[in-house]
Amino acid sequence: MSSPNAKEMEDLYELPVYPRRDIVLVRGKGAKLYDDQGREYIDCASNVGVSNIGHANEEVGRAIHEQYLTLGNCYGMFYNPVRARLAEKLVSLAPPRLRKVFFCNSGAEAVEGALKFARATTGKGEILAAMRGFHGKTFGALAATWGEEYQKPFVPMMPGMKHVPFNNFQKLSEAVNEGTAAVILEPVQGEGGVRVGDKAYFREVRELCDRKGILLILDEVQTGFGRTGTLFACEQYVEPDMLCVAKSLAGGIPMGAVLCSDQVKVPVKSHTSTFGGNPLACAAALASLEVIEREKLPERAKTLGTYLQDGIKAIRSDKIRETRGLGLMIGIELKEKAGPYVQQLMERGIITLLAGATVIRLLPPLVISKEEIDTVLSTLREVLG
Ligand SMILES: Cc1ncc(COP(=O)(O)O)c(C=O)c1O
């Protein structure tokens, strides 16, 4: 399929909010993507963590097709068996204290919901978030997201948000006061440069929250569904009171969710969503979860992630400052701007992401093969070595 005018048309008709790459993607299969010139790429971006099960999964495709022809939409005021099954499934997979689900459509919406639920539950207004944290770009989520480049054009921000340094318990505990409703953190900061949370720090934060009656929200929009070597990264950290998920939840169909403990209380009608929990997305999520479980994708992410990270660490390069990550969520921090290297990798058939100015971020589909990883490693060696 050729799309000769896609670039010109998108530039002409869409608001220019995305920093564009100069290719037109038309097709994907597994961990491969194809452009309109028929060129093949190894995907190390997964649409920023969406395509954990790979592209064009046939089981998910069939589930979507069948569900659309059965009942595609069903507003949350009516019960629906597919939504019921997904809610039960997610609760069964989540850490034990998370026993209720709120369904929405994106990561920002999940965060937005969690922030509102924290205020509704505690009757308090203040939220603590981490510097370099990323939680989305709707107004509530944006207030939690760190960074002038995102916030400045849209001031004033939602009041009540305070940022503290990540992995620094002392600073976080000093910022807590009587009005603190919640703390929101990513177990591994994605957009902020693939910065892995310190386990002792998370344990201390959990204990502090328990002591002070503060709700702990973990944002696993990017780390969720196997990416870090366990289904949820929090399994390697601590149980939250609310867990935000989205991106890869429904095999590529837009969906988000907040998993909540029994402590979370929200008045009827106070927070709802027209498309939240629509049967189409629920059917896709059920099919995708089946693939993740059957193919043991979290274990795969752990093994292949170690292999990939070790391979990168073995590259002799004076350009690399540090390689870090968890599972198949890996950041290569350079001593210089990473943009030109991301471009060179793409020209050589490897699609990667930036995470800040100096970090190349790798988020391949968890179905990526060892051979594909070897190609990624040899290309990285060529470009960075
Ligand atoms: C940790 C985290 N939270 C929230 C979001 C926002 O998700 P969405 O783009 O679906 O609104 C992202 C997106 O990258 C994310 O990485």
Side-chain angles (χ1 to χ4, degrees):
M1 201 212 306
S2 160
S3 327
N5 295 319
K7 289 181 206 169
E8 291 85 344
M9 286 167 73
E10 289 208 50
D11 285 343
L12 186 62
Y13 293 118
E14 293 174 20
L15 265 186
V17 291
Y18 297 93
R20 297 278 198 190
R21 308 262 187 104
D22 195 28
I23 55 171
V24 180
L25 292 175
V26 293
R27 194 162 62 82
K29 187 72 195 164
K32 296 264 170 56
L33 287 167
Y34 300 87
D35 71 11
D36 62 345
Q37 309 299 307
R39 211 165 156 219
E40 183 181 280
Y41 300 85
I42 297 177
D43 182 10
C44 284
S46 298
N47 281 307
V48 197
V50 168
S51 316
N52 286 13
I53 62 163
H55 301 281
N57 180 282
E58 296 198 0
E59 281 169 64
V60 175
R62 270 195 301 276
I64 292 168
H65 180 81
E66 280 163 22
Q67 188 59 47
Y68 184 79
L69 295 177
T70 306
L71 183 65
N73 281 283
C74 176
Y75 196 90
M77 74 173 78
F78 301 104
Y79 294 104
N80 176 266
V82 190
R83 190 192 302 127
R85 274 173 48 221
L86 179 62
E88 182 192 41
K89 181 81 188 165
L90 284 173
V91 167
S92 76
L93 293 172
R97 80 162 88 181
L98 304 177
R99 290 148 55 101
K100 290 271 196 295
V101 188
F102 169 78
F103 286 118
C104 53
N105 311 287
S106 69
E109 265 187 65
V111 168
E112 204 73 33
L115 298 176
K116 288 179 71 179
F117 302 160
R119 283 186 170 175
T121 299
T122 61
K124 297 176 180 177
E126 287 195 17
I127 319 267
L128 295 180
M131 290 171 180
R132 297 187 203 265
F134 185 90
H135 302 287
K137 295 177 183 169
T138 55
F139 264 114
L142 179 63
T145 288
W146 169 254
E148 209 179 50
E149 71 169 312
Y150 299 129
Q151 292 192 348
K152 201 172 167 198
F154 307 108
V155 291
M157 287 292 105
M158 180 191 88
M161 191 68 65
K162 217 186 285 174
H163 287 89
V164 291
F166 187 52
N167 277 342
N168 183 330
F169 179 68
Q170 180 71 27
K171 292 275 191 229
L172 183 131
S173 61
E174 284 166 14
V176 161
N177 63 41
E178 290 296 292
T180 309
V183 173
I184 180 164
L185 296 169
E186 295 156 271
V188 181
Q189 291 188 325
E191 304 295 318
V194 191
R195 287 165 209 280
V196 181
D198 177 38
K199 287 183 183 157
Y201 166 75
F202 273 80
R203 274 196 302 273
E204 285 180 297
V205 174
R206 176 70 274 176
E207 282 162 17
L208 177 75
C209 288
D210 285 339
R211 255 195 335 271
K212 304 265 183 187
I214 295 167
L215 296 170
L216 177 58
I217 304 166
L218 290 187
D219 179 347
E220 292 225 36
V221 168
Q222 197 163 137
T223 54
F225 301 102
R227 169 70 48 201
T228 66
T230 43
L231 188 66
F232 301 110
C234 65
E235 294 165 38
Q236 301 170 59
Y237 287 85
V238 292
E239 276 190 52
D241 302 293
M242 283 185 261
L243 180 66
C244 300
V245 292
K247 288 196 187 277
S248 61
L249 162 59
I253 291 295
M255 184 175 225
V258 190
L259 287 145
C260 304
S261 75
D262 281 342
Q263 232 184 309
V264 175
K265 301 272 186 269
V266 193
V268 175
K269 267 179 89 174
S270 64
H271 193 72
T272 54
S273 160
T274 297
F275 285 118
N278 68 82
L280 189 74
C282 291
L286 281 165
S288 176
L289 284 167
E290 209 170 300
V291 173
I292 291 174
E293 282 189 298
R294 194 190 55 236
E295 308 288 327
K296 298 189 171 30
L297 294 185
E299 290 90 329
R300 203 181 157 79
K302 187 169 182 218
T303 315
L304 289 178
T306 304
Y307 180 72
L308 177 54
Q309 216 186 123
D310 288 348
I312 299 167
K313 283 179 176 159
I315 296 174
R316 269 199 241 124
S317 164
D318 54 11
K319 299 185 179 81
I320 300 177
R321 186 183 302 284
E322 189 189 29
T323 301
R324 54 182 180 251
L326 200 60
L328 279 173
M329 181 168 184
I330 296 173
I332 310 170
E333 182 166 345
L334 304 185
K335 295 173 189 164
E336 55 193 291
K337 290 226 178 326
Y341 297 99
V342 166
Q343 176 65 24
Q344 284 180 46
L345 286 164
M346 192 174 84
E347 284 161 10
R348 287 168 167 78
I350 311 290
I351 294 184
T352 60
L353 294 163
L354 282 170
T358 58
V359 178
I360 303 173
R361 179 173 29 157
L362 305 177
L363 299 174
L366 311 184
V367 295
I368 192 169
S369 68
K370 189 157 170 289
E371 292 67 36
E372 285 163 338
I373 288 187
D374 285 333
T375 307
V376 172
L377 282 169
S378 63
T379 313
L380 281 168
R381 221 171 284 127
E382 242 175 77
V383 169
L384 296 172

